[in-house]
Amino acid sequence: MSDSLVKSPEYYMELALSQARLAQMYGEIPVGCVIVDELGHIVGQGCNMTITLSDPTAHAEVMALRDAGGRLKNYRLPNLSLYVTLEPCCMCSGAIIHSRIKHVYYGASDLKTGACGSMFNVLNDLRHNHHPEITGGILKDECAEVLKQFFKYRRKMNKLGMNYLKERELLRNLEKK
């Protein structure tokens, strides 16, 4: 009997979508990420926390890489797969390269800041010393829909004259009481 728990890429992207929904609950842009070892175990997870942590580097991928590095007690994460709901940006792509992630799976393409080929080719650049495998479009419609609904809500609030960040802070303060 094998210890392998490996499931389909869609299964792990669903877990990343759960992280994206968690980010949304925090009032963050809903992007989520999970990191999986060769046996299918989740070794890292994260969601966008840039606003909550006042940290511009707290993207879902970086949070998941930090989590995996801490759990595995290593800054190198070879032979692991990263699943993220939105195509990684240049910053996250750099972190992915330095961590030595083996395979990157992403959901929706990011036509504005995507670094897997949509806007930039950071992960595909042959000048790097590490080249993860890349598979895009995993549950792309579901991943895109979460983002679309989030930004639709934010635009609606702006149209009503409500500042999204201020309203979010008010809700967070009420939750503390």
Side-chain angles (χ1 to χ4, degrees), residues 35 43-44 62-77:
I35 299 176
V43 296
V62 171
M63 300 302 288
L65 289 167
R66 289 175 183 166
D67 187 33
R71 288 185 197 197
L72 300 175
K73 305 288 187 235
N74 199 341
Y75 72 105
R76 296 285 195 222
L77 305 171

Side-chain angles (χ1 to χ4, degrees), residues 19 48 60 92 112:
Q19 286 293 311
N48 271 359
C92 293
K112 292 183 180 179

Side-chain angles (χ1 to χ4, degrees), residues 95-108:
I96 288 165
I97 290 166
H98 289 294
S99 69
R100 306 296 194 266
I101 289 289
K102 181 178 182 176
H103 202 130
V104 173
Y105 295 88
Y106 68 88

Side-chain angles (χ1 to χ4, degrees), residues 8-25 29-36 42 44-48 59-61 64 81-87 104-108 138-140 142-144 146-147:
S8 69
E10 291 79 11
Y11 172 83
Y12 295 111
M13 192 59 72
E14 284 288 350
L15 297 177
L17 275 164
S18 294
Q19 286 293 311
R21 291 181 187 101
L22 180 62
Q24 188 168 7
M25 286 175 42
I29 294 172
V31 178
C33 182
V34 296
I35 299 176
V36 180
I42 305 298
Q45 57 188 358
C47 63
N48 271 359
H59 288 197
E61 300 94 321
S81 295
L82 181 145
Y83 295 81
V84 63
T85 57
L86 182 64
E87 180 181 359
V104 173
Y105 295 88
Y106 68 88
I138 309 296
L139 299 181
K140 67 180 181 181
E142 293 89 334
C143 293
V146 169
L147 288 159

